[in-house]
Amino acid sequence: MGTVSEYFGSLVFDDRVMKANLSAKVYKSLKKTIDEGAKLDIGVANAVAAAMKDWAIANGATHYTHWFQPLTGITAEKHDSFITPSPDGGVIMEFSGKELIKGEPDASSFPSGGLRATFEARGYTAWDPTSYAFIKGKTLCIPTAFCSYGGEALDKKTPLLRSMEALSKQAVRILRLFGNDSVKCVRTSVGPEQEYFLVDKKMYDQRRDLIFTGRTLFGAKPPKGQEMDDHYFGVIKPRVEAYMKELNDELWKLGILAKTEHNEVAPAQHELAPIYTTTNIATDHNQLTMEIMQKVAAKHGLVCLLHEKPFAGVNGSGKHNNWSLATDAGVNLLSPGETPYENAQFLLFLCAVIKAVDDYQDLLRISVATAGNDHRLGANEAPPAVVSIFLGDELNAVIEAIEKDEPYSGTEKTKMKLGVDVLPKFNRDTTDRNRTSPFAFTGNKFEFRMLGSSNSIACANIMLNSAVAESLRIYADRLEQAEDFETALHEMIRKTIKDHKHIIFNGNGYDDSWIKEATEQRGLLNYRTTPDCMPHLLDEKNVTMLTSLKVFSETELKSRYEIMLENYCKTVRIEADTMVDMARTEIAPAVEAYAMELAKTAAAKKALDESIPCAYETTLVKKLSALADSIFDGTIELEQAVAALDSAGNIGEEADAIRDVVLVRMSELRAACDEAEVITAKKYWPFPTYGDLLFGVK
Ligand code: ADP
Ligand code: MG
């Protein structure tokens, strides 16, 4: 296969391939489209399509697909082959510019939240030339956006690209005020750290909860969990190592910069982090990474679980969205600079983020809201559902000094005019220590840690980019009008700190006292669940901000509200149905069979000699019978709770009933089953236990 640098990106139609296979004129024109969003001429599209097709065929492809991200949360593709019949009875391989630019999948079955009536089922896909085409199996995949014919976005990429554009526009306005005349655009970059579990496929196949819902719905705590902390960064087991090696190879061929891998806190839990890249590419890459993780696992007799909470009582999986913004010249705007002027600029961008996170706490919470992630947030393993910002002691001291207009003690009593003369060097050791914060400054980027492991990172970045764009818009409006730029700037930084410092929290986010302080004294929002936060997507301030920046239309927001709650409801309904089914057809019969064996044993003993006590059997039979009754009742109550959902007036009411009733019944049923598990003989238990699953991969 050659060395990594030889095969890295070998399945990608990247810049190297374009340069080699396109005429200079076509290449230049395509670059202009990629870098500056210039409109693409059909002649150029035809030339690119032809080169793409030849390259793909030479690399074993026979089909192509427009690859997109509908609101199901996973990617979609419909393969068409390149073949076109020729008059002589044979075929030729064809692919036109038109086919490259636009596709029309029959999209009636994708969620649209009422945006697209089924009679006009056709949406269309449109090529995103900023994300390279790649080959997967026998198929050339072309990253695309997915819209309705009315122009509404039906996917996650479209609003993401719009939010990047909004942010770029406002950031460029700010940079112009700082005298930067050359900057053309500002891009956000993301490096998402991805957590996952690996379990043995043979065991997985015996658990219908894992198969249907991706998480275990039953399971008593194993004797050993994560309490020894012996898994985190521990030695990687041979089977896992072989998996990681193949995973890296596959990702590298696709040009994905998989960089670090290690064991995580929970047994069987691991993490993969790529080197950061432009947000829309990072988003595409993360979707691909999740897909390939699962594919490669299958080859190794493993299953990769991407669910946020596959095991109760064991740490769940998240995704850390490392985020920063940089100019087209590569200058990171969240990196403290060397000169007072650069530092003032850094502080302004920092303030824009602080203001954005505070003003739009609700949108950030909403952007990570799923049924799965609700199990994690606030469970002392992941940040709480309360959004706050960690700055670290040094930066915090700078901020406080500015607010009070006092000298910053870290520098020799310099007066804080226009930011600071010398900002301390924030090395990672001092800024990265707090892992309990949902939104932490880590030296030259922010790390948003509330995302669930199976989430697309698109939603979080759409909200983050938009909220920061809004802060910058407000700043630019003010500063462009200011008579004295430096004074206005200084005042605006101070005012932001004053108005928004309640969002800054450098302590332990897992502490209960923090939640009390956050909500009672600081007035921060605490939306524990998806049904709690979702309605706020349609709050006037949020609709106004997102529509005025042209990231979403009001109709799109309404449809997204519907779809997110529909996803929530469907997910939990499937879980509830699976629970009832497993409890009735697997768990209760196992409990009964074991009770029967005990009863038979006792009867046989008594028949032998009436004086044999049989206390063990009798006590257990009583307990098991009582639990079997509870399990049976529990299934009926859960079934009734689910049936009652059908009378909910709208999706919001249904989601509320799920949170308030269905999930409660589910945990009651689970409790009875888990109690039965620990007193039922192992050979009767119908499926692998937590111990088997968590320690089963050697
Ligand atoms: P950690 O201690 O969290 O593992 P790392 O430095 O390893 O910190 O970075 C984690 C992730 O942050 C990686 O995916 C990395 O590429 C990404 N990252 C680093 N710098 C930036 C940046 N400027 N913008 C976005 N992501 C970044
Ligand atoms: Mg990290």
Side-chain angles (χ1 to χ4, degrees):
M1 202 160 66
T3 63
V4 177
S5 50
E6 280 161 13
Y7 64 83
F8 184 86
S10 58
L11 297 177
V12 185
F13 193 75
D14 60 17
D15 200 55
R16 298 174 298 182
V17 184
M18 290 182 200
K19 245 192 207 131
N21 292 286
L22 298 172
S23 71
K25 199 168 143 242
V26 170
Y27 174 78
K28 207 173 141 212
S29 166
L30 178 61
K31 267 304 252 190
K32 214 170 151 60
T33 301
I34 294 174
D35 294 340
E36 295 162 40
K39 215 171 150 42
L40 199 75
D41 167 270
I42 186 71
V44 174
N46 279 331
V48 176
M52 236 186 221
K53 178 204 69 183
D54 291 342
W55 168 82
I57 291 171
N59 281 284
T62 51
H63 289 66
Y64 71 92
T65 181
H66 277 198
W67 184 79
F68 59 103
Q69 294 158 37
L71 296 165
T72 50
I74 49 173
T75 52
E77 42 195 75
K78 173 192 159 218
H79 300 182
D80 280 303
S81 76
F82 290 120
I83 62 167
T84 305
S86 59
D88 60 4
V91 291
I92 48 166
M93 304 296 259
E94 273 192 339
F95 185 49
S96 68
K98 217 173 119 228
E99 288 166 309
L100 167 64
I101 292 175
K102 193 165 175 179
E104 296 187 56
D106 175 10
S108 51
S109 309
F110 291 113
S112 73
L115 267 186
R116 177 174 31 71
T118 31
F119 63 83
E120 43 162 352
R122 302 204 118 190
Y124 69 92
T125 49
W127 179 34
D128 168 17
T130 59
S131 183
Y132 297 136
F134 56 91
I135 295 172
K136 209 173 62 178
K138 297 252 166 280
T139 306
L140 168 69
C141 298
I142 300 152
T144 53
F146 178 39
C147 297
S148 79
Y149 267 104
E152 288 105 350
L154 296 170
D155 68 347
K156 305 199 176 192
K157 187 188 269 278
T158 307
L160 180 65
L161 292 171
R162 292 177 187 157
S163 73
M164 289 166 68
E165 207 173 302
L167 181 67
S168 175
K169 191 171 152 202
Q170 302 306 332
V172 167
R173 282 177 74 193
I174 296 286
L175 292 171
R176 293 271 185 272
L177 289 166
F178 278 91
N180 184 335
D181 291 327
S182 59
V183 62
K184 285 206 198 93
C185 70
V186 168
R187 295 195 189 97
T188 55
S189 51
V190 168
E193 299 164 66
Q194 173 76 48
E195 292 180 334
Y196 61 100
F197 279 85
L198 284 178
V199 297
D200 188 88
K201 172 88 164 66
K202 287 200 199 81
M203 292 188 197
Y204 169 95
D205 284 339
Q206 295 171 56
R207 294 208 50 144
R208 282 189 290 162
D209 47 4
L210 286 179
I211 293 171
F212 295 138
T213 75
R215 72 175 177 114
T216 56
L217 298 167
F218 302 100
K221 230 172 107 48
K224 180 177 188 244
Q226 63 193 49
E227 49 283 279
M228 304 289 284
D229 287 327
D230 53 354
H231 192 253
Y232 192 50
F233 281 57
V235 176
I236 298 172
K237 291 174 182 149
R239 231 176 125 188
V240 176
E241 198 180 333
Y243 165 79
M244 287 175 169
K245 181 181 177 318
E246 185 168 346
L247 176 60
N248 280 336
D249 284 342
E250 291 304 314
L251 295 175
W252 288 337
K253 281 190 232 163
L254 285 167
I256 297 173
L257 296 152
K259 172 86 173 166
T260 49
E261 55 201 19
H262 58 78
N263 287 348
E264 260 301 327
V265 175
Q269 193 184 29
H270 312 281
E271 182 186 290
L272 180 140
I275 296 171
Y276 68 96
T277 178
T278 311
T279 307
N280 70 317
I281 296 171
T283 305
D284 287 352
H285 280 181
N286 184 250
Q287 291 300 125
L288 266 178
T289 300
M290 292 194 284
E291 183 183 326
I292 302 217
M293 281 175 140
Q294 287 167 309
K295 269 200 192 136
V296 173
K299 286 206 208 158
H300 290 252
L302 299 166
V303 176
C304 171
L305 302 178
L306 289 169
H307 194 283
E308 283 74 21
K309 193 72 182 177
F311 303 98
V314 174
N315 271 13
S317 301
K319 192 133 58 182
H320 290 173
N321 191 79
N322 294 276
W323 177 95
S324 71
L325 57 177
T327 66
D328 51 337
V331 177
N332 182 346
L333 298 172
L334 291 178
S335 209
E338 304 291 336
T339 66
Y341 220 60
E342 283 170 354
N343 282 336
Q345 185 181 298
F346 160 74
L347 285 171
L348 189 67
F349 279 99
L350 181 78
C351 282
V353 178
I354 294 172
K355 177 173 162 57
V357 172
D358 188 26
D359 286 343
Y360 299 100
Q361 297 162 45
D362 45 2
L363 288 181
L364 291 179
R365 170 67 184 92
I366 287 165
S367 76
V368 301
T370 59
N373 213 18
D374 281 0
H375 295 291
R376 252 180 95 238
L377 298 176
N380 280 353
E381 54 172 274
V386 179
V387 178
S388 65
I389 299 180
F390 169 86
L391 290 182
D393 294 340
E394 284 170 303
L395 190 52
N396 204 53
V398 173
I399 294 284
E400 276 178 0
I402 296 174
E403 188 208 346
K404 298 193 190 100
D405 233 346
E406 279 171 359
Y408 168 62
S409 56
T411 60
E412 280 113 38
K413 307 265 176 218
T414 348
K415 182 86 173 142
M416 288 292 203
K417 182 76 178 167
L418 225 187
V420 261
D421 282 350
V422 193
L423 276 181
K425 282 261 171 276
F426 307 112
N427 57 40
R428 281 225 317 217
D429 287 339
T430 54
T431 55
D432 201 30
R433 217 177 289 137
N434 190 326
R435 300 227 153 237
T436 67
S437 173
F439 203 93
F441 182 70
T442 52
N444 60 0
K445 62 183 190 292
F446 276 98
E447 185 167 345
F448 183 30
R449 299 188 175 125
M450 286 171 81
L451 288 77
S453 48
S454 69
N455 285 174
S456 157
I457 63 170
C459 303
N461 287 294
I462 293 168
M463 294 310 179
L464 189 52
N465 292 343
S466 305
V468 175
E470 178 67 0
S471 302
L472 294 173
R473 186 189 64 77
I474 294 168
Y475 290 173
D477 282 354
R478 283 268 301 285
L479 291 174
E480 281 168 1
Q481 302 304 321
E483 281 178 14
D484 173 2
F485 174 70
E486 295 194 3
T487 310
L489 176 65
H490 184 67
E491 265 158 24
M492 212 154 56
I493 289 175
R494 272 191 72 194
K495 183 169 160 39
T496 302
I497 296 168
K498 264 206 177 88
D499 293 349
H500 299 284
K501 67 176 178 191
H502 72 157
I503 195 84
I504 297 167
F505 175 63
N506 293 302
N508 182 0
Y510 292 180
D511 214 332
D512 285 341
S513 64
W514 160 238
I515 304 301
K516 216 168 130 63
E517 180 188 330
T519 52
E520 290 172 16
Q521 284 148 40
R522 300 192 184 207
L524 300 179
L525 300 173
N526 184 17
Y527 296 133
R528 296 290 310 275
T529 67
T530 300
D532 291 343
C533 67
M534 276 317 298
H536 298 285
L537 180 62
L538 301 177
D539 283 357
E540 203 187 324
K541 81 169 197 352
N542 295 334
V543 174
T544 306
M545 185 274 278
L546 291 165
T547 54
S548 70
L549 290 173
K550 299 200 165 38
V551 173
F552 284 112
S553 69
E554 192 164 350
T555 340
E556 286 171 347
L557 282 172
K558 284 191 179 137
S559 88
R560 267 155 223 254
Y561 161 81
E562 294 273 330
I563 291 168
M564 283 179 80
L565 281 181
E566 260 169 31
N567 281 347
Y568 174 83
C569 294
K570 281 185 195 155
T571 304
V572 183
R573 274 170 175 262
I574 293 170
E575 290 178 350
D577 289 348
T578 306
M579 274 193 105
V580 169
D581 191 37
M582 287 173 76
R584 260 194 208 145
T585 65
E586 296 186 80
I587 298 175
V591 172
E592 286 288 274
Y594 181 48
M596 187 63 174
E597 185 193 299
L598 290 166
K600 275 190 192 151
T601 309
K605 284 182 179 175
K606 289 279 179 203
L608 202 65
D609 179 346
E610 191 57 38
S611 71
I612 300 179
C614 298
Y616 167 72
E617 291 85 352
T618 321
T619 314
L620 267 184
V621 169
K622 275 191 197 151
K623 265 196 187 164
L624 289 167
S625 299
L627 283 169
D629 287 348
S630 303
I631 292 170
F632 183 63
D633 291 346
T635 58
I636 291 175
E637 279 171 25
L638 179 52
E639 239 172 10
Q640 285 168 347
V642 173
L645 295 175
D646 293 337
S647 55
N650 57 46
I651 197 75
E653 279 178 25
E654 182 178 337
D656 287 349
I658 284 184
R659 174 198 58 204
D660 299 335
V661 189
V662 175
L663 284 169
V664 178
R665 297 283 167 273
M666 281 167 65
S667 51
E668 286 163 2
L669 175 58
R670 176 180 182 140
C673 293
D674 291 357
E675 215 182 315
E677 183 192 322
V678 294
I679 54 168
T680 300
K682 173 108 172 109
K683 69 170 183 181
Y684 281 91
W685 203 250
F687 39 73
T689 62
Y690 270 27
D692 299 331
L693 288 165
L694 289 167
F695 296 93
V697 177
K698 299 284 181 289

